[in-house]
Amino acid sequence: MKNVTAKAKKAVLIGVGATPYYKRGGSLPKSVTELACEAILAAAKDAGINIQDVDGFAYYSGAKAGYGGDSSLDAALLVETLGIKEINFTAALTGGGGGSAGAIDLARVAVESGKAKYVVTVMALQQAPDARLGTVFGASKPTPESSFLQPAGMAGPGQLMALLAKRHMHLYGTRREAFAEIAISTRMNAINRPTALRRDPLTLEEYFSARMISDPLCLYDFCQESDGAVAVITTSSERASDLDAQPVFIAASAHGGSGEWGRAFAGMTMSDRFFATSGHEPIAQRLYSEAGVTSRDIDVALLYDHFTPLVLMQLEDYGFCSRGEGGAFVESGAIRFNGGQIPVNPHGGNLSEGYIIGMTHILEAVEQIRGSAINQVRDAQLALVTGGPASLPVSGLILSKTEVF
Amino acid sequence: MSLKTYWTTQTEIALNSWTSEFWQSGRDNQLAIACCTSCGLHRLPPLPYCKSCLCKEIEWRSYEGELTLYSFTLCAHPEGGQYAPALVEAGGADNVRLIGNLIDMNPEDIQIGMKLTIEWLPIANGYKYPAFKKA
């Protein structure tokens, strides 16, 4: 009897919604709050609930809808805008995009503890000219800590992550061809998706003739700079059983990571053991342990792809291949939607569909598990979703079609 | 093609009581690294606690040991040309990493593992920022 009660309280994802995705600045004159509410209302509709049923917010606010300006995402304003009468839980993970998948971990805590019934996780991004993510570090005022790296010209995440990529190439002989394969295979997945911002096929020739931004990273190794919003609603399996929408079960969720990863590329003090990685190894171990599965059981992987080399390093951290073998693994075609041993980002990812700081990956995982994805992996039972390799916390989720996995 | 530095003589930095000595030494073209007075672990940047023993107190030691290139990238400079952000390991100081730009070398000659020397170049307010040349 006790078990039944515990099971009934298990959190599930019950609704997903999104705005269209826009090129950077393209969502103006809509406001960030407007974008967020559009996605929240779409998710509520998908779940089949009234907006008044929503009584919780769990998101990752460090990312703050544009990293600057007046575009922060405030739960109070969302509640007021949507006319929600009572709210029981409002919390955000610390850090930035590393917590995208982890925000569901937080929503789960709210639901399974009984603190809230329907919890919204949302990210709305609007990159106005004064709030561009790609130059977020260079544009910010120096602090005593950032003064150790900012003057060296690490203007944005790309310059920082190039140092990890270069080290990986040095240690393991990883080639740019591997990064190219990630860019090209992800683009192939976006071609048939109406929501995708980049739908033209990308060739190896185009990749190698592209502008080099921060060697070894060229234009196509960088994700897009987009606007838009995505929302996800988490509730208990018990409540979900009264709704028409198909629930997606949480087989495992985790956020955190090793202290040796720390501020990661925002400080460049990671231990040598972690430097040329995505920092996700401890999360992978926790997820697999909680779900009682291994990488071989994962049917589709939604890996946060802000920069191609970090996809490769996540494949290693999540055990799809051994440390240092990510390059050869990817170059073998292993991550392709058609015939790959582990299809990665069949939605086109941050690289080609749109960059909403990892939320599109959760949305796609829900669609894959429901069997309604555009590029549906046949009979997908388990989907892995990761948050951005970034400062702590990093995070991940394993979503499941069935309650028992 | 010669490499530029990203910073200019107008580039500003922020200091606090923990980091000030690093920059003051740099003004005198000296590399000083904070060292825990209790367990000896080097700290860069010098945060307020030793991550090994939680001791707060530090002493600053002048560093003249080997400097080795740990990783780098080559970037297009906003005003044309290239600059090369670099992570440099101080092997004799618990491998703490210095961050600066590589100068006075051909981009194609840069190799992870190469030995470097430090050269302090001026930024704003009389401070200097580390650049690295071939040893």
Side-chain angles (χ1 to χ4, degrees):
Chain A
M1 198 60 202
K2 203 178 170 190
N3 275 346
V4 173
T5 313
K7 233 177 157 186
K9 275 196 169 173
K10 287 288 276 180
V12 299
L13 304 190
I14 194 64
V16 289
T19 66
Y21 308 133
Y22 308 84
K23 284 191 175 151
R24 173 168 60 88
S27 62
L28 292 164
K30 284 187 181 181
S31 73
V32 166
T33 306
E34 186 178 353
L35 293 169
C37 290
E38 226 177 284
I40 293 168
L41 288 169
K45 189 176 175 198
D46 179 55
I49 62 169
N50 188 290
I51 194 66
Q52 288 302 336
D53 295 328
V54 168
D55 66 343
F57 282 90
Y59 50 77
Y60 48 115
S61 80
K64 260 200 212 150
Y67 284 78
D70 55 1
S71 56
S72 69
L73 204 60
D74 181 28
L77 184 56
L78 296 176
V79 166
E80 196 178 321
T81 306
L82 294 168
I84 293 172
K85 298 218 166 27
E86 180 96 37
I87 199 87
N88 297 318
F89 186 91
T90 61
L93 291 186
T94 57
S100 56
I104 301 298
D105 195 33
L106 186 62
R108 178 187 177 190
V109 167
V111 165
E112 294 186 356
S113 67
K115 289 282 179 190
K117 296 184 176 68
Y118 292 94
V119 180
V120 164
T121 298
V122 62
M123 178 49 68
L125 182 58
Q126 185 172 64
Q127 303 190 64
D130 63 340
R132 191 176 173 187
L133 253 67
T135 56
V136 60
F137 299 110
S140 52
K141 207 167 172 291
T143 67
E145 288 78 28
S146 72
S147 291
F148 282 90
L149 71 169
Q150 203 167 298
M154 303 188 191
Q159 284 82 10
L160 297 165
M161 276 174 250
L163 294 161
L164 277 61
K166 202 80 172 174
R167 183 82 189 161
H168 198 280
M169 295 169 91
H170 168 76
L171 289 174
Y172 308 116
T174 311
R175 314 190 306 162
R176 282 191 67 207
E177 280 79 355
F179 307 151
E181 165 60 19
I182 292 165
I184 289 167
S185 65
T186 308
R187 179 64 59 86
M188 285 172 78
N189 297 341
I191 286 169
N192 64 342
R193 291 180 63 83
T195 49
L197 293 174
R198 288 186 187 157
R199 300 178 60 185
D200 297 329
L202 175 65
T203 66
L204 200 60
E205 292 68 34
E206 280 173 297
Y207 176 91
F208 276 102
S209 57
R211 178 165 61 95
M212 185 65 86
I213 297 175
S214 188
D215 181 62
L217 306 185
C218 73
L219 179 66
Y220 296 114
D221 295 308
F222 281 62
C223 76
Q224 302 182 78
E225 297 180 289
S226 335
D227 290 2
V230 176
V232 178
I233 294 174
T234 302
T235 191
S236 67
S237 58
E238 188 179 35
R239 279 183 214 98
S241 62
D242 295 332
L243 299 169
D244 291 336
Q246 183 184 339
V248 170
F249 296 91
I250 302 170
S253 62
H255 73 272
S258 168
E260 290 180 56
W261 179 250
R263 290 175 300 144
F265 24 80
M268 290 295 179
T269 57
M270 313 82 111
S271 66
D272 188 50
R273 184 168 79 87
F274 275 100
F275 188 86
T277 80
S278 70
H280 272 259
E281 194 181 81
I283 298 296
Q285 288 167 359
R286 282 168 59 193
L287 291 177
Y288 292 149
S289 163
E290 187 191 352
V293 302
T294 71
S295 61
R296 284 188 297 280
D297 299 307
I298 302 295
D299 299 304
V300 55
L302 291 311
L303 304 181
Y304 193 109
D305 53 334
H306 42 10
F307 297 94
T308 57
L310 277 294
V311 173
L312 189 153
M313 294 178 209
Q314 286 178 80
L315 289 164
E316 297 176 358
D317 282 345
Y318 280 93
F320 294 107
C321 58
S322 307
R323 171 84 56 228
E325 288 175 4
F329 182 73
V330 163
E331 286 189 56
S332 76
I335 65 168
R336 295 227 169 179
F337 171 66
N338 279 319
Q341 109 188 36
I342 176 69
V344 171
N345 297 343
H347 61 320
N350 292 328
L351 290 165
S352 285
E353 187 189 37
Y355 173 71
I356 312 296
I357 321 185
M359 288 297 290
T360 61
H361 296 65
I362 306 175
L363 175 71
E364 172 71 7
V366 167
E367 292 184 355
Q368 288 288 344
I369 294 300
R370 284 178 170 175
S372 61
I374 290 177
N375 294 317
Q376 180 65 45
V377 172
R378 203 155 62 88
D379 195 29
Q381 297 288 321
L382 289 177
L384 171 69
V385 189
T386 66
S391 296
L392 293 178
V394 292
S395 63
L397 280 174
I398 298 174
L399 299 181
S400 168
K401 182 165 262 176
T402 56
E403 192 158 10
V404 183
F405 23 84
Chain B
M1 187 170 52
S2 72
L3 290 167
K4 297 180 172 178
T5 61
Y6 183 79
W7 64 86
T8 69
T9 53
Q10 311 301 312
T11 300
E12 294 187 10
I13 53 169
L15 286 66
N16 65 18
S17 58
W18 290 98
T19 66
S20 167
E21 184 59 32
F22 179 85
W23 302 108
Q24 298 299 344
S25 300
R27 287 167 90 119
D28 301 329
N29 305 309
Q30 293 296 312
L31 172 59
I33 299 177
C35 186
C36 175
T37 56
S38 172
C39 76
L41 188 73
H42 290 84
R43 272 190 247 173
L44 184 69
L47 302 175
Y49 287 89
C50 171
K51 65 180 173 188
S52 174
C53 73
L54 292 183
C55 172
K56 294 184 83 169
E57 203 182 334
I58 48 174
E59 62 179 358
W60 288 89
R61 291 190 188 161
S62 175
Y63 183 80
E64 281 162 14
E66 255 185 5
L67 297 172
T68 310
L69 183 61
Y70 187 78
S71 195
F72 71 100
T73 174
L74 276 167
C75 307
H77 195 281
E79 287 156 21
Q82 284 183 305
Y83 70 99
L87 292 183
V88 177
E89 255 185 356
D94 300 312
N95 294 324
V96 295
R97 292 186 200 121
L98 299 153
I99 299 172
N101 287 168
L102 300 173
I103 56 165
D104 291 355
M105 58 183 89
N106 291 319
E108 50 274 22
D109 294 339
I110 304 172
Q111 285 195 341
I112 289 177
M114 72 194 292
K115 302 299 172 200
L116 301 165
T117 58
I118 195 164
E119 181 167 324
W120 295 88
L121 298 177
I123 52 175
N125 306 317
Y127 290 105
K128 293 181 179 176
Y129 203 80
F132 298 93
K133 304 157 73 157
K134 263 193 236 179

